């Protein structure tokens, strides 16, 4: 049985394509991963189910047309629309040439406090991870209840302390000001 701890999000199905059961998908990895016989995993009715691609065609830099084995019609493909695509960390690690423990989903950081590296002041607590854009974002709640969108870019992260659940970040000047709502008077 596939467990959530053993997989990581690598993309999302967007919509069906044509009548033969192909799906348009945005992927964070190269489509070669599936051509090499690796499974893509989709949550169906609360269970993670592996599927295999019979074809993967690039449609852009991150967009692909994927045909799943056993899915032969647009109606059958429709059940995958807007579903997250996962991959097994154990299959993904050799493909990405990294260690399996280095593959993270980001959700594990919910509840971590973001600390400003320079001032040592708290910025906010991560309440959500937004992976709907090409750049992963931490959504953090400030001590005064405001919501901040902070890029989870490696170059901004100066340290992660799992024991104390903190992430030390050095953000570019003015970045947090982009989150402030302006009064329109």
């Amino acid at each position: 049985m596939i467990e959530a701890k053993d997989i990581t999000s690598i993309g999302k199905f967007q919509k069906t394509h044509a009548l033969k059961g192909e799906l348009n998908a945005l992927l964070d990895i190269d489509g070669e991963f599936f051509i090499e016989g690796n499974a893509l995993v989709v949550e169906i009715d609360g269970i993670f189910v592996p599927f295999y691609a019979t074809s993967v065609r690039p449609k852009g830099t991150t967009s692909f047309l994927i045909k799943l084995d056993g899915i032969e019609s647009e109606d059958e493909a429709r059940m995958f629309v807007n579903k997250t695509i996962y991959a097994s960390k154990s299959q993904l690690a050799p493909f990405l040439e990294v260690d399996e423990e280095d593959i993270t989903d980001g959700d594990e950081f919910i509840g971590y406090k973001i600390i400003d590296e320079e001032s040592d002041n708290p910025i906010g607590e991560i309440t959500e991870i937004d992976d709907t854009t090409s750049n992963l974002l931490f959504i953090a709640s400030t001590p005064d209840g405001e919501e901040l969108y902070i890029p989870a870019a490696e170059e901004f992260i100066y340290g992660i302390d799992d024991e104390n659940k903190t992430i030390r970040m050095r953000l570019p000047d003015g970045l947090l000001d982009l989150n402030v709502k302006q009064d329109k008077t």
Side-chain angles (χ1 to χ4, degrees), residues 123-144:
I123 295 172
E125 182 175 324
I126 299 171
T127 57
E128 209 175 320
I129 306 294
D130 182 348
D131 63 357
T132 60
T133 65
S134 59
N135 298 316
L136 191 70
L137 296 171
F138 293 138
I139 300 176
S141 179
T142 67
D144 30 321

Side-chain angles (χ1 to χ4, degrees), residues 17 36 46 59 63 68 70 80 99 113-114 119 129 134 140 143 146 159 176-177:
H17 177 79
E36 291 180 7
K59 192 180 171 194
S63 184
L68 299 176
F80 294 93
D99 292 330
K113 290 185 178 23
I114 298 175
S119 69
I129 306 294
S134 59
E146 291 196 41
L176 294 178
D177 296 334

Side-chain angles (χ1 to χ4, degrees), residues 27-181:
L27 296 176
D28 298 331
I29 63 166
D30 192 292
E32 276 298 311
F33 177 74
F34 301 119
I35 293 170
E36 291 180 7
N38 294 306
L40 59 93
V41 179
V42 179
E43 186 177 356
I44 297 177
D45 297 329
I47 299 170
F48 293 108
V49 180
F51 292 89
Y52 294 89
T54 57
S55 73
V56 178
R57 298 184 295 146
K59 192 180 171 194
T61 55
T62 60
S63 184
F64 295 85
L65 295 175
I66 299 176
K67 175 79 170 80
L68 299 176
D69 188 30
I71 305 300
E72 303 300 327
S73 71
E74 183 179 12
D75 283 342
E76 291 174 331
R78 203 169 280 125
M79 70 182 260
F80 294 93
V81 172
N82 293 321
K83 295 250 186 202
T84 300
I85 302 168
Y86 300 94
S88 162
K89 290 179 183 179
S90 63
Q91 290 179 337
L92 202 53
F95 181 79
L96 297 176
E97 298 177 355
V98 297
D99 292 330
E100 193 172 326
E101 58 271 2
D102 291 338
I103 299 174
T104 62
D105 218 2
D107 286 350
E108 66 206 45
F109 296 122
I110 291 176
Y112 277 56
K113 290 185 178 23
I114 298 175
I115 308 294
D116 183 290
E117 172 69 10
E118 292 177 344
S119 69
D120 212 30
N121 291 329
I123 295 172
E125 182 175 324
I126 299 171
T127 57
E128 209 175 320
I129 306 294
D130 182 348
D131 63 357
T132 60
T133 65
S134 59
N135 298 316
L136 191 70
L137 296 171
F138 293 138
I139 300 176
S141 179
T142 67
D144 30 321
E146 291 196 41
E147 194 172 74
L148 300 174
Y149 289 78
I150 302 171
E154 206 172 306
E155 63 264 23
F156 300 153
I157 298 174
Y158 279 74
I160 298 173
D161 181 346
D162 291 319
E163 189 174 317
N164 293 312
K165 293 192 144 203
T166 59
I167 299 176
R168 300 186 73 74
M169 298 185 80
R170 186 174 297 160
L171 301 173
D173 289 339
L175 185 111
L176 294 178
D177 296 334
L178 296 173
N179 287 278
V180 177
K181 292 182 181 167

